[in-house]
Amino acid sequence: MKKFSPKNICFSMMVLGISLVHSQNPFKPRFQKELNGDVTILANNITNRVDYSNSSNVPYYNHTSSALLNDDFTMEYIDIDGDESTFSSSSAELFLDTNSPKKIVYAGLYWSGTYKYNTGDQPKEDKFVAIDAGRASVSTVKIKYPNQAQYKSVTGTVIFDGLNSAEYKDFAPYVVYADITDDVVGMSNPSGVYTLADIRATQGMLRGGIASGWQIFIVYEDSSKPMKSIITYDGFSDVSSSSVSLNFNGFKTVAQGQVKVQIAAAALDGDYKVPGDKVSIKTPKSKNFIPVTNKLRKPDNFFNSSITIENKHQVNRYPDSKNTLGFDSCLTTVANENNAVFDNNSSEATLKIESDSDKCFLFFASLIVDESIPTAEPIAQKPASMTNKEMLERYDIKKVQQMKEIYADLFQTTSAKNLTSKAQTFSNKKGEVKKELIEVLTLNITGQEKGFYVVTSAFVDPSNAKPYSTLLTLKDVKNQTFVNKINNYTYVYLERFDQLEDAISFYASKANGMYSEKLYIVSVNTVITGITDMD
C-alpha cells in the first residue's frame, strides 16, 4: 500500500502487566504457555491479481525488482475449491512429523483484509468509486479441516474494523480472531490440508490497494523438543511514522550454551518494493535495537508480501504465490551469534516494529524462547535378528540427514565461545586432496582428551546428535561423540589422532572409504605451530 499520512501512533506493552498509549486497538496477550514442544504456522492470501493471461488462482511468483504492487493490479478472490457455495478459498498444509508423539494444545486462526465495499474501480487517477457498495459482515468464515468433505462455519471476534474509523474508512482494514483449538484437537490426525473460505475483501480497485489473507498459529507438545516459553498477542496498529514497541518478560533463556529465540508475526499490506518497514529487538545484553532479518526478509523491508518459515517460502499452499500482494506471515529465528542479543538466563526483551516509508498493519506477534535443552530419548534398539539394511528401511533417514545439513554450518562460523584461533589452512599434497585446503577448527575443552578429531557434524541440540550417530552405526560407520561444555554443542566424530598428519591422511581417504560426505578436522586442546604445508 502506498503510504498515507496517519496520526501518530505508539504504544508499549508488558506481558502480564500491560500499559498502552495511543493505538487503533491495543495489543493484548492471547496465549502464553511453557511446554516441551514447538510452534508452526500455516497461512495464505485470499485475493490475487488478475491480468490479460492470469486468473486469480494462478500463483504470483514475481518477487523481483520488476514485481508490481497490489495497488497496480485489479484484484479478485482466489477460489480454488471448485465449490459453488463459496466465493473465496485458499489452502495450506500442516505437516507434523511422526518421529515423536505430538499433541496440539493451541490453534489460533486470524483473517484480515481491506474491505470498504464489495467491488470498486478506479476510473481515473486518484479517483476510486464503488461498483457494488454493499458490505457484508466479516466475522464469519468457513474452514475445511484435513480429510473432511464439508466446510464448518467459524465465527470470530472482530479485533478491529477500519470502516468505523475516519482515518481508515477509505480502505477499511479489518482483523478477526477465532480459537479453533477444540476442532483441531478433536481430529484423529491434525496434519493435512486446511482450506479457508468466504473471507471477505474488496474486489477490483481500492484506494491504497487490496490485500487479504489468513493465518493459523499452531502450538504442540513434543517431549523430544526443548522446554519453550511461547507468548502471543494480537491487536491492530498502523506501523508508519510511529513505532510499535512490545515488551516481553515472563521467560528465561537456557542457562548455558547457545540461546535460541524465534519471533512470529503477521501483517496486512506490507509492500515488496516499498522499503522502510523494520523489525528489531533489544535486550539488556544487546543494549541497542538489533535488526531481525533472514535471507528472505531484509532489515529495511521486513514485511514484503510473503509467507515464510525461517529462510524458505511456505510452499505447501494452493496457490503458492511467493508474492502474496500485501499479506505477510512469518516465523523466523533471531540471529544470536555468540549470544550477542539473548544471553544465558535472559528474561526480558523489547520488540520494535517501525516504518519510515511503507505503510502496513501489524495484527499478530509472538516470541518463542528455548528455556532448556531436553534429554535425548533413547533410539529404538535393533533386534538381534534384524540386519542393518532392514533397520535402515524403518529409520527416518531423510529427517536425520536434514538435521546434519542444518547444523553443519557451525563449522563455517566462529560462533563457538572457546574458539582459540581462526581456522588455519593446510595444503595436503598426497592423493585425492592434492589441491584441497583443509580447515582446522581449534577448541579448548576442559577434561576432553587432546588430539585431532575427524568430525562429521556438530549439533546445537544434543538430542539430534543421537539419531544421527545411530544412523551412521546402522551404515556400519564407527563413530563417537564429545561435547563442548561451554556452549553444549555435540560433535559426532569418526576417529581421534595424536598427530595432525594422521588425521589429514584419514580425512583424505574419506575415512578409509567409509564416509563420502563432508568431513572436518577439529583440534582439541592442542597447539599447532610451524605447519603451513604437508608433503
Side-chain angles (χ1 to χ4, degrees), residues 377-382 391 395 463 466-467 470:
E377 293 186 353
I379 302 298
Q381 297 298 310
K382 178 171 70 69
M391 185 66 178
Y395 205 70
S463 67
K466 179 66 175 179
T470 300

Side-chain angles (χ1 to χ4, degrees), residues 114-147:
T114 52
Y115 183 41
K116 181 178 182 179
Y117 34 63
N118 289 328
T119 310
D121 194 13
Q122 184 180 8
K124 59 182 181 180
E125 187 175 358
D126 203 35
K127 182 175 178 60
F128 295 85
V129 297
I131 303 301
D132 178 355
R135 190 184 196 264
S137 170
V138 298
S139 62
T140 298
V141 298
K142 295 178 180 178
I143 184 169
K144 186 186 294 183
Y145 293 104
N147 303 312

Side-chain angles (χ1 to χ4, degrees), residues 370-498:
D370 279 18
E371 294 190 317
S372 69
I373 297 175
T375 302
E377 293 186 353
I379 302 298
Q381 297 298 310
K382 178 171 70 69
S385 60
M386 182 179 292
T387 66
N388 282 0
K389 181 178 179 181
E390 290 171 332
M391 185 66 178
L392 278 168
E393 290 175 352
R394 296 176 54 181
Y395 205 70
D396 192 343
I397 298 174
K398 183 177 180 180
K399 182 187 178 187
V400 174
Q401 289 175 332
Q402 286 174 342
M403 288 192 305
K404 176 184 181 294
E405 291 169 3
I406 291 170
Y407 296 115
D409 64 355
L410 290 175
F411 290 97
Q412 310 305 322
T413 70
T414 57
S415 60
K417 283 186 176 180
N418 61 337
L419 186 63
T420 57
S421 65
K422 293 183 179 179
Q424 303 180 50
T425 58
F426 300 86
S427 177
N428 187 316
K429 295 184 178 179
K430 295 181 180 180
E432 60 189 273
V433 290
K434 182 178 180 181
K435 296 182 179 180
E436 183 176 351
L437 293 177
I438 303 173
E439 293 185 341
V440 178
L441 183 69
T442 302
L443 299 176
N444 289 332
I445 303 175
T446 302
Q448 183 65 32
E449 184 178 8
K450 72 176 183 178
F452 299 93
Y453 292 74
V454 180
V455 174
T456 68
S457 193
F459 295 86
V460 173
D461 185 344
S463 67
N464 287 335
K466 179 66 175 179
Y468 184 72
S469 174
T470 300
L471 175 63
L472 293 180
T473 301
L474 292 172
K475 289 183 174 182
D476 296 319
V477 179
K478 176 185 174 183
N479 67 93
Q480 299 180 65
T481 64
F482 68 85
V483 176
N484 182 347
K485 296 177 182 178
I486 290 182
N487 55 24
N488 217 34
Y489 293 168
T490 300
Y491 293 78
V492 179
Y493 71 96
L494 304 184
E495 291 284 354
R496 187 202 64 83
F497 298 91
D498 292 326

